[in-house]
Amino acid sequence: MDFESVVERHRREIQVHCYRMLGSLSDAEDLTQETFLRAWKSRDGFEGRASVRTWLYRIATNACLDTLARRPRRVLPDQLGPSGEPGGPLAAADLPWLEPYPDRLLDTGAPDALVVERETIELAFLAAVQYLPPRQRAVLMLRDVLGWPAKETASVLETTVASANSALQRARTTLRERLPARRAEWSAGDPTAEEAALLKRFITAYEQGDPNAVARLLHEDAQAVMPPYTLWFGSRDAITAALSLSLDPAAPTCVGRFRMLPVRANRQPAVATYLRRPGEDGYRWFGVTLLTVERGLVAAMAAFEGTSPAPWGLPETWPAEGFPTP
């Protein structure tokens, strides 16, 4: 078997599987490499009773389980405590935060067999998955996400079909309890013209430093989280008040001026953000903000400050001539 050519075609879907299991792009990249290394070391023992794809998923799943056994679950700020008020303590916390996944990686070099639906990679789903014990998480991914039969799933996890089915039922129950009640109302699938227009208005409002214009795009009970900060907001009024403090050039709490570029992450609309802080000349990379859209307005914002621009294929600074218009 030409090992490299055979296994390389499955790299992206193995990475997506590891990302779903771990909630971290950086960890998924590491575990994909670990999977291929384990596969290389055990290649002589591969007897062909299963497909190469199934073999790699078996190795990747067990590598993820090894990692999950020694690491805490990844979180978002709203899972840590009640919402706060604008002007409250804003300190970065060194916690295992959930990380976003660029759509450009989902759509580049992926085999025809890899179909990544929003429902299986959106932030709300991944945040709920973090509450599952590792083996329940693995069963859910293999059965409900990948559509594997119970017997094959049990074989990968070296357990009985009855045990695998029991774990799946418990996992489904936990997800029903943890997923947002109105999740079915969120926009899904390919971006719509309405969503594109909303994103354009969102970018304009931020770039003009207009909190009231942002407010007009939010639901009354909109939420905003900002890893790595534990402070989060649970209403449109709180978000608007916080933006008034951070966007007003006359306020001592002003963070500066923003420039934004539309992107997509986790099959959701998103913006790549650059910030020019007070006293600086240029705009530097700030992070990525994912939006949850419900009935034409933003229901949730998740701003990941400090996320590397590399996976997004973007530079560290805003080009002097600007980005080309798509």
Side-chain angles (χ1 to χ4, degrees), residues 255 275-284:
V255 298
L275 174 65
R276 188 186 71 194
R277 298 183 184 278
E280 295 183 352
D281 294 328
Y283 289 85
R284 299 192 61 81

Side-chain angles (χ1 to χ4, degrees), residues 241-305:
L243 289 177
S244 296
L245 293 173
S246 62
L247 296 181
D248 182 1
T253 52
C254 178
V255 298
R257 295 299 299 269
F258 288 100
R259 299 293 299 273
M260 292 179 168
L261 187 71
V263 293
R264 286 186 69 83
N266 297 75
R267 297 300 191 213
Q268 299 175 228
V271 290
T273 304
Y274 291 78
L275 174 65
R276 188 186 71 194
R277 298 183 184 278
E280 295 183 352
D281 294 328
Y283 289 85
R284 299 192 61 81
W285 176 261
F286 184 75
V288 174
T289 298
L290 277 65
L291 306 181
T292 298
V293 178
E294 177 186 315
R295 301 193 309 278
L297 292 174
V298 176
M301 304 160 52
F304 294 88
E305 181 180 338

Side-chain angles (χ1 to χ4, degrees), residues 119-243:
E119 289 78 8
T120 69
I121 203 167
E122 65 192 0
L123 280 183
F125 174 77
L126 294 171
V129 162
Q130 297 300 306
Y131 286 96
L132 300 178
R135 293 182 72 81
Q136 286 186 30
R137 195 180 305 187
V139 170
L140 182 85
M141 296 303 170
L142 295 173
R143 290 293 309 279
D144 283 1
V145 174
L146 297 176
W148 285 23
K151 184 176 180 180
E152 194 169 15
T153 298
S155 175
V156 166
L157 297 175
E158 298 181 345
T159 188
T160 65
V161 170
S163 294
N165 285 337
S166 177
L168 178 62
Q169 294 307 314
R170 294 196 300 274
R172 287 172 174 170
T173 298
T174 299
L175 281 192
R176 283 195 295 269
E177 295 170 349
R178 295 290 180 178
L179 285 172
R182 295 184 297 184
R183 180 173 178 243
E185 300 176 19
W186 296 352
S187 62
D190 295 331
T192 64
E194 181 184 35
E195 183 181 280
L198 175 67
L199 195 61
K200 184 176 181 178
R201 291 168 60 199
F202 182 88
I203 290 173
T204 299
Y206 258 89
E207 290 187 340
Q208 293 180 348
D210 188 344
N212 292 324
V214 176
R216 289 192 288 272
L217 306 177
L218 306 178
H219 280 286
E220 184 177 359
D221 59 351
Q223 294 188 359
V225 299
M226 305 162 289
Y229 304 105
T230 56
L231 179 66
W232 66 280
F233 305 117
S235 71
R236 178 176 58 204
D237 289 346
I239 295 171
T240 305
L243 289 177

Side-chain angles (χ1 to χ4, degrees), residues 6-38:
V6 170
V7 303
E8 188 64 30
R9 71 185 66 170
H10 301 291
R11 176 177 292 275
R12 185 64 69 206
E13 62 177 313
I14 292 298
Q15 186 187 90
V16 171
H17 177 61
C18 292
Y19 173 72
R20 287 186 178 116
M21 287 285 292
L22 303 170
S24 162
L25 174 57
S26 55
D27 283 355
E29 292 172 335
D30 291 343
L31 265 293
T32 300
Q33 290 300 109
E34 174 66 18
T35 295
F36 280 46
L37 178 60
R38 291 188 187 189

